[in-house]
Amino acid sequence: MSFNNLQLIEPVLKALIHEGYTKPTPIQEKSIPAILQHKDLLGCAQTGTGKTAAFAIPMLQLMHEQQQQSPQGRRNIKALVLTPTRELAIQIEESFKAYGRYLDLRHLVIFGGVSQVAQVNALRRGVDILVATPGRLLDLMNQGHISLRDIKFFVLDEADRMLDMGFVHDVKRVIAKLPAKRQTLFFSATMPPEIQQLANVLLTNPVKVAVTP
């Protein structure tokens, strides 16, 4: 199996070649086709399985296709990736940058512990894909800098770590602001009951993918 078998568009394949990718990992092979078919996904996978590419690649493709069909003036946030730590958030945004290098999509990473000025300025210029940690996201939403009303894609990454780090209430507050009609991708290394409940609330007829590293 190669990336050529996954119905990916030329600019995305070109970016993957640039990154030196030839064969998808098991989670990429299972997830990419399901996401391209606009299905919700429940992924049981740890860091190191290639899961960031499993959601970033098909999301970039779907967003590019939507952009071609209806080019917009102002860029509103259409994809939100919520992740527990600043390190993960930075890595995910770098992945979007790498796989989307030949696409006209803007991405931004926001996290706490630093001045919000540069983040707010970037938001004002318009962003398509936002990667965020829960605290800073809620903070900027409360200040009126971020609206989630145009979200078409929502990714909850490392859901079990969100729970361990005490972010689950913040996550629920974010979810309450999302449009009902959206595609949701949910990733967790483990599935304790509280995470399973959250997945049940968030996902509609999801495709389930489980891989071991």
Side-chain angles (χ1 to χ4, degrees):
M1 165 72 84
S2 87
F3 280 106
N4 293 329
N5 305 111
L6 293 178
Q7 259 80 60
L8 295 172
I9 53 175
E10 212 278 323
V12 172
L13 284 172
K14 195 171 145 190
L16 295 176
I17 291 164
H18 188 278
E19 291 299 308
Y21 288 24
T22 49
K23 287 175 68 178
T25 66
I27 192 162
Q28 291 159 10
E29 196 177 306
K30 292 173 184 171
S31 304
I32 291 171
I35 297 169
L36 288 176
Q37 289 166 5
H38 303 276
K39 292 182 172 156
D40 282 7
L41 186 91
L42 176 59
C44 201
Q46 293 172 334
T47 304
T49 51
K51 73 175 156 67
T52 302
F55 65 75
I57 291 167
M59 277 169 69
L60 283 162
Q61 176 155 325
L62 290 173
M63 290 178 75
H64 172 72
E65 286 167 354
Q66 286 176 9
Q67 189 184 49
Q68 300 300 298
Q69 286 159 12
S70 56
Q72 83 275 22
R74 163 133 180 82
R75 290 173 189 260
N76 298 321
I77 301 162
K78 287 176 286 305
L80 172 65
V81 182
L82 205 54
T83 194
T85 69
R86 160 189 186 154
E87 293 72 28
L88 267 167
I90 291 167
Q91 280 171 17
I92 291 168
E93 200 252 351
E94 282 170 353
S95 298
F96 275 106
K97 192 169 165 180
Y99 313 139
R101 70 171 58 237
Y102 302 113
L103 303 174
D104 176 30
L105 290 165
R106 282 191 207 161
H107 26 82
L108 174 67
V109 59
I110 62 168
F111 43 79
V114 296
S115 163
Q116 69 175 45
V117 177
Q119 298 175 0
V120 170
N121 288 340
L123 286 163
R124 286 197 183 121
R125 288 193 292 273
V127 169
D128 300 299
I129 300 162
L130 184 65
V131 183
T133 54
R136 178 55 58 99
L137 175 66
L138 283 167
D139 198 10
L140 293 180
M141 281 167 65
N142 292 338
Q143 292 176 49
H145 295 302
I146 292 175
S147 161
L148 302 183
R149 66 172 176 267
D150 298 301
I151 295 287
K152 304 259 189 305
F153 304 94
F154 174 57
V155 181
L156 185 63
D157 192 30
E158 307 260 343
D160 49 354
R161 277 181 74 188
M162 292 276 196
L163 182 68
D164 293 342
M165 292 170 72
F167 286 140
V168 81
H169 294 299
D170 284 353
V171 170
K172 286 176 178 170
R173 280 158 63 198
V174 171
I175 290 163
K177 300 284 185 198
L178 292 169
K181 194 171 181 293
R182 60 167 195 267
Q183 186 174 359
T184 303
L185 314 173
F186 187 104
F187 292 91
S188 192
T190 58
M191 278 290 169
E194 195 167 354
I195 293 301
Q196 189 62 60
Q197 279 171 346
L198 192 59
N200 294 346
V201 169
L202 269 176
L203 300 165
T204 310
N205 300 328
V207 172
K208 293 187 176 128
V209 175
V211 294
T212 47

